[in-house]
């Protein structure tokens, strides 16, 4: 008597109380986004040279991913993405290109127990732009962080015991032609930043907002530590 062949690839029912296998969610409920100024390759190059001096468990930021964060949005509903793109376009319409300068390096939260190594940046109108972005984003009903704005470029993050570098200063800068909206995607090897949209500054230099540069930004003083951001 011939036995009936057993069916192939039949999934057994899960036992009571047994967790179901998890599957990646291709459509996350919220997005991690931020507005920032992209650092061009010619400015990132001397910063990368400084990164080469790091030892131990420092994880350097890739030169092509260096940026100055203006506003961090930790949990954005995907349907709000187009609103944020329209906001970027509107703000950039009357904003003049920014002349950004690099300053000295520092550590967050402090030099005694650092987690982030950064270089300070400054530019006329930069703080005004960051504040305007925050107000406009919140008017859209989107959450932003509530940390004070400290303009900087993150160079590396500390993942374990590692020696610190002595303070460095950089005589470099660039004219920023546009604002960029990024998405931050977390990986085991560190975050990856994907460009969602770029908004060219179309205002004339005479229309650029002005702000006084505080004494704390003098090259003779150490930069104040920024809050940790993407």
């Amino acid at each position: 008597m011939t036995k009936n062949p057993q069916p192939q690839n039949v999934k057994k029912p899960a036992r009571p109380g047994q967790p179901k296998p998890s599957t990646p969610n291709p459509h996350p409920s919220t997005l991690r986004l931020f507005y920032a100024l992209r650092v061009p390759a010619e400015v990132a190059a001397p910063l990368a040279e400084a990164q080469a001096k790091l030892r131990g468990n420092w994880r350097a930021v890739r030169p092509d991913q260096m940026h100055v964060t203006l506003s961090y949005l930790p949990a954005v509903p995907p349907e709000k993405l187009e609103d944020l793109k329209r906001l970027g376009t509107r703000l950039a319409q009357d904003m003049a290109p920014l002349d950004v300068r690099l300053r000295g390096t520092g550590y967050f939260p402090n030099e005694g127990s650092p987690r982030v190594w950064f270089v300070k940046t400054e530019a006329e109108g930069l703080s005004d732009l960051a504040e305007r972005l925050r107000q406009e984003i919140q008017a859209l009903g989107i959450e932003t962080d509530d940390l004070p704005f400290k303009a900087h470029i993150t160079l590396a993050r500390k993942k374990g015991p590692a020696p610190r570098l002595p303070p460095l200063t950089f005589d470099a800068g660039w004219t920023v032609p546009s604002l960029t909206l990024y998405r931050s995607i977390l990986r085991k090897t560190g975050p990856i930043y994907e460009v969602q949209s770029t908004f060219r500054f179309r205002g004339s230099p005479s229309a650029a907002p002005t702000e006084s540069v505080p004494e704390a930004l003098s090259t003779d003083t150490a930069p104040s530590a920024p809050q940790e951001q993407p």
Side-chain angles (χ1 to χ4, degrees):
M1 183 175 181
T2 304
K3 295 183 180 181
N4 293 328
Q6 294 295 323
Q8 302 295 318
N9 300 326
V10 176
K11 296 183 179 179
K12 296 181 180 180
R15 297 177 182 177
Q18 182 179 1
K20 295 181 180 179
S22 60
T23 55
N25 182 7
H27 304 291
S29 57
T30 60
L31 306 173
R32 289 164 47 93
L33 303 175
F34 61 96
Y35 288 96
L37 308 178
R38 188 182 69 83
V39 177
E42 63 271 19
V43 176
L47 299 179
E49 292 178 5
Q51 287 176 322
K53 301 175 184 178
L54 292 168
R55 298 293 181 267
N57 292 301
W58 284 106
R59 182 179 292 167
V61 175
R62 283 171 25 196
D64 66 311
Q65 300 234 307
M66 291 180 180
H67 61 272
V68 179
T69 299
L70 298 177
S71 184
Y72 173 49
L73 295 69
V76 178
E79 62 270 18
K80 290 285 190 178
L81 180 58
E82 291 305 314
D83 289 338
L84 293 172
K85 290 180 179 180
R86 284 189 286 269
L87 171 59
T89 299
R90 178 161 53 84
L91 290 186
Q93 279 294 117
D94 58 358
M95 187 74 193
L98 297 169
D99 292 323
V100 178
R101 298 294 303 178
L102 301 183
R103 308 300 285 185
T105 57
Y107 293 97
F108 169 80
N110 55 63
E111 189 174 355
S113 55
R115 293 202 307 268
V116 172
W117 185 46
F118 67 91
V119 60
K120 184 81 174 182
T121 61
E122 65 178 31
E124 288 191 355
L126 195 55
S127 294
D128 289 344
L129 176 57
E131 180 57 29
R132 188 178 175 191
L133 270 171
R134 180 178 301 212
Q135 293 176 358
E136 296 278 3
I137 292 166
Q138 293 175 348
L140 292 173
I142 299 173
E143 175 189 358
T144 65
D145 64 24
D146 57 357
L147 303 174
F149 174 67
K150 301 289 185 180
H152 69 283
I153 301 168
T154 295
L155 300 178
R157 295 179 176 87
K158 190 165 173 279
K159 299 302 178 181
R164 297 180 295 276
L165 289 180
L168 301 173
T169 57
F170 299 90
D171 183 17
W174 77 103
T175 299
V176 181
S178 58
L179 174 69
T180 301
L181 178 62
Y182 287 93
R183 179 183 176 189
S184 175
I185 301 175
L186 299 181
R187 307 287 192 196
K188 289 183 178 180
T189 55
I192 298 296
Y193 307 128
E194 290 185 350
V195 174
Q196 302 299 294
S197 194
T198 299
F199 318 99
R200 182 164 294 279
F201 294 136
R202 299 186 182 278
S204 61
S206 60
T210 60
E211 65 179 36
S212 61
V213 179
E215 294 181 2
L217 296 182
S218 168
T219 55
D220 296 331
T221 60
S224 57
Q227 300 297 316
E228 189 170 3
Q229 294 175 324

